[in-house]
Amino acid sequence: MEFLKPLEPILIIDDAPEIREFLGDILSNLGYEQIYESEDFNSAKPLIADKQPNVIFLDIELPDTDGTSILEYINYNYPNIHVVMCSGHNSLENVQNTWELGAKGFIAKPFNAKKVDTVMKRLELI
């Protein structure tokens, strides 16, 4: 029987390919293997349904809709998924708003391995 990490699979939804690649590399270096990427909500919907991710890193600002609308959709349709909101604008209002909408974490861009590792370890305790 294959051992599965409880937080995998992981989905990264961000319109910037360099952000998706960088975050994916950090997660890979932390030992995660089932990592999927999507550039917008339309391409993420079938991935969410098919791959059933346990963690989604979700950019707040996407070209086809904003991340808070996606967060509400995920929480309603997939309440067991841990959503970590990501933004370059880490204002107190942004952070509070995403927590109130049900996000399980918030990480400010630019990412670094320590920030991502801390968020993932916190999610393991939920």
Side-chain angles (χ1 to χ4, degrees):
M1 183 171 161
E2 183 178 328
F3 174 74
L4 295 175
K5 293 191 178 197
L7 297 178
E8 290 184 282
I10 299 168
L11 175 60
I12 301 166
I13 306 173
D14 198 299
D15 58 318
E18 63 277 4
I19 296 290
R20 292 192 311 268
E21 181 180 351
F22 185 60
L23 181 53
D25 288 346
I26 289 172
L27 290 164
S28 291
N29 289 335
L30 291 172
Y32 298 97
E33 297 172 357
Q34 293 182 326
I35 304 165
Y36 302 96
E37 298 179 5
S38 178
E39 64 185 356
D40 58 28
F41 189 39
N42 285 331
S43 61
K45 276 184 181 179
L47 276 173
I48 294 169
D50 183 47
K51 302 299 181 185
Q52 299 279 316
N54 285 313
V55 176
I56 295 178
F57 284 88
L58 175 59
D59 187 12
I60 288 180
E61 297 170 13
L62 292 169
D64 59 346
T65 186
D66 84 29
T68 56
S69 298
I70 300 170
L71 176 60
E72 289 173 336
Y73 169 86
I74 292 168
N75 284 337
Y76 181 78
N77 293 288
Y78 306 94
N80 295 325
I81 295 177
H82 302 301
V83 179
V84 178
M85 301 302 290
C86 307
S87 178
H89 309 288
N90 60 342
S91 69
L92 181 60
E93 181 181 329
N94 245 355
V95 175
Q96 283 180 327
N97 188 34
T98 59
W99 282 109
E100 289 170 6
L101 292 173
K104 300 291 191 288
F106 184 94
I107 189 165
K109 296 176 184 176
F111 305 115
N112 65 45
K114 184 174 182 177
K115 285 181 188 177
V116 175
D117 189 38
T118 300
V119 167
M120 295 303 284
K121 284 180 177 166
R122 198 173 313 132
L123 291 178
E124 287 177 353
L125 300 174
I126 293 177

